[in-house]
Amino acid sequence: MEQQLKQACACLLPERRQALARLPIDTQARCEELRLRVEQPMQIVVGESEQRVGESVFHSAEIKDTLERAAEYSLHTCADSLRQGFLTMRGGHRVGVCGQTAVQDGAMLSFRSISSLNIRIARQIKGAASPELLRQIRDGTHLHNTLFLSPPGWGKTTLLRDIARQLADAGVRTAVADERAELAALYHGVPQFDIGRHTDVIDGCPKAQAAMMLVKTMSPQLLLLDEITSEADIYAAECAAHCGTAVFASAHAWDLEDFQLRPLYQRLQERKIFTRIFCIEQGHQVTRLI
């Protein structure tokens, strides 16, 4: 079985893993997610579509046991991330969780029952950031504040991760505010992805808070923020840039026109933080936007 898929499906029962192992190697390599839903067969996400694997349906007990195995029978240690709807497995694979929740004072406390899981298969693509791209965001020792745009699933995180790896290995002191454990995916304190030798990470903390902690305590030359989604994220990027730290970040938008129409990003443009903006096109091709 393809290595990343084998690692990601380790929390499944043997017969589920065997069904995946019977898939064509090309399908295994292109599989992005495993979708497990109560009273439904397993589905895999390949490209834009879901494909059924086998006929056997999941029952509530198996869904619950799968989550327990994904957490290595230590769900209490994953409580903080579960309140955000996910947990991170060994290897950086992420399990999204849906179901009935317990809420108090408007804040989610825990899941009462689990109705579905989404195991997102993590794959690192070394070389995703081309030499030409690196030349456009770096002039000698100077790093340009850079923003990457694309819809979900088109490679923003993969690209940022590879930029961090290459620049950190080249000696740039790099910091990562990894709120949803996607860029570095710390597991027991160990990054599950290669993000470079000179990189420090704060994982599981709101980006804005983590960014300011990193700037104040680690004196980074480069700060990475994945997915600017709030005014607080904008403020953190602005503060870091004013402190002399270069900022690389990403945002959800189809293209530059779409980016300019969104109210949050209009406020981001007003701050004039970023001097380079790139659009990631389908197929992970990167085009500079002027």
Side-chain angles (χ1 to χ4, degrees), residues 88-106:
T88 302
M89 296 171 58
R90 187 187 302 274
H93 312 287
R94 194 175 71 175
V95 183
V97 184
C98 289
Q100 289 182 304
T101 63
V103 177
Q104 182 176 338
D105 297 329

Side-chain angles (χ1 to χ4, degrees), residues 220-235:
Q221 297 166 294
L222 171 63
L223 172 68
L224 269 70
L225 303 172
D226 197 13
E227 298 184 10
I228 290 180
T229 57
S230 68
E231 288 281 3
D233 295 345
I234 295 174
Y235 178 73

